[in-house]
Amino acid sequence: MELHRNVEVFGDSILKGVQVDDENNRYHVDNNIDVEMLEKKFLLSISNFSKFGCTISKAFSLIEKRFYKGELKCDAIVLNLGGNDCDFDWRAVSERPDEEHAPNTPLDVFADTYKKIIEFLKENGIRPILTTLPPLDAQRFFNWFCGGLEKKANVLEWLGSVESIYRWHENYSRTIEKIASETGTLLVDLRGAFLKYRKLGNLLCKDGTHPNTEGQRVITQGFIEFIEWASAKGKIEIYA
């Protein structure tokens, strides 16, 4: 059947396909998430508007801008957000460890904004599809983002332990799961796809948070499994 479903993706650098270059330790786009295969296998037309550093408020603004300009012409939108929202200004933490520090988007604001996006899309006939957050490697993350700080010991004092980074990040992912359940919204469990692997570090770049090429293949498989599951359950229709 010649029917293509138009899907747009709004997220951060994870779905944009950003990796760390092992030679110069700089970020660059090397996207091995097999969008072309997904398009052919499920007769989809996928447009990716993910941006490096994107937070949930920035994504909402971009969605609204495209909508009011008449450019948002899709059946569904995949949302992969939270990784930048839960992050902190680590330099500020290192310089003032005795103070309270808020993440880029506090958890309650994150949840409220996500619900507003879902409501906005549903009201305008667009199906939202959420994704959980691929897990990070806390030690690599700390080494990458805090290792060069002059007062990095203060960050550890403030955190309590390096593993607090993992738990804080996980809390945002669990909140996404809860939002999906409460609003009856489809959810792609990318986190679960990664946690099937015993050696998580083999799927992540040096910074401990961006999936490497192998990790991006896990993301592809996660989307395949989601589409096949949702189709079998009658949640979505696929055409092949």
Side-chain angles (χ1 to χ4, degrees), residues 30-48:
D30 184 10
N31 197 342
N32 297 281
I33 300 171
D34 201 341
V35 172
E36 183 177 354
M37 180 276 295
L38 292 171
E39 289 181 316
K40 289 181 178 179
K41 183 177 179 67
F42 300 112
L43 287 182
L44 301 170
S45 177
I46 302 172
S47 299
N48 192 350

Side-chain angles (χ1 to χ4, degrees), residues 36-70:
E36 183 177 354
M37 180 276 295
L38 292 171
E39 289 181 316
K40 289 181 178 179
K41 183 177 179 67
F42 300 112
L43 287 182
L44 301 170
S45 177
I46 302 172
S47 299
N48 192 350
F49 296 95
S50 298
K51 292 183 178 294
F52 189 93
C54 191
T55 60
I56 196 162
S57 60
K58 290 178 181 178
F60 197 6
S61 294
L62 181 57
I63 290 169
E64 287 184 309
K65 182 179 180 180
R66 286 183 52 75
F67 176 79
Y68 290 116
K69 290 176 67 175

Side-chain angles (χ1 to χ4, degrees), residues 114-128:
Y114 228 143
K115 291 175 183 177
K116 288 178 180 177
I117 294 175
I118 292 168
E119 183 179 9
F120 177 82
L121 294 178
K122 289 181 176 180
E123 285 179 349
N124 289 288
I126 300 171
R127 166 168 277 184

Side-chain angles (χ1 to χ4, degrees), residues 52-121:
F52 189 93
C54 191
T55 60
I56 196 162
S57 60
K58 290 178 181 178
F60 197 6
S61 294
L62 181 57
I63 290 169
E64 287 184 309
K65 182 179 180 180
R66 286 183 52 75
F67 176 79
Y68 290 116
K69 290 176 67 175
E71 297 174 347
L72 199 65
K73 298 177 180 178
C74 55
D75 303 297
I77 284 181
V78 174
L79 297 158
N80 175 248
L81 301 160
N84 292 305
D85 296 278
C86 71
D87 203 12
F88 290 86
D89 181 343
W90 298 109
R91 183 170 298 280
V93 172
S94 72
E95 293 173 351
R96 301 184 300 277
D98 295 330
E99 296 182 7
E100 291 294 325
H101 295 273
N104 291 331
T105 308
L107 189 58
D108 58 341
V109 177
F110 176 77
D112 183 60
T113 306
Y114 228 143
K115 291 175 183 177
K116 288 178 180 177
I117 294 175
I118 292 168
E119 183 179 9
F120 177 82
L121 294 178

Side-chain angles (χ1 to χ4, degrees), residues 89-99 101 142 146-162 165:
D89 181 343
W90 298 109
R91 183 170 298 280
V93 172
S94 72
E95 293 173 351
R96 301 184 300 277
D98 295 330
E99 296 182 7
H101 295 273
F142 178 81
C146 305
L149 296 175
E150 184 178 348
K151 301 177 181 179
K152 67 178 181 180
N154 287 348
V155 177
L156 273 178
E157 176 187 336
W158 184 79
L159 284 169
S161 72
V162 169
I165 298 172

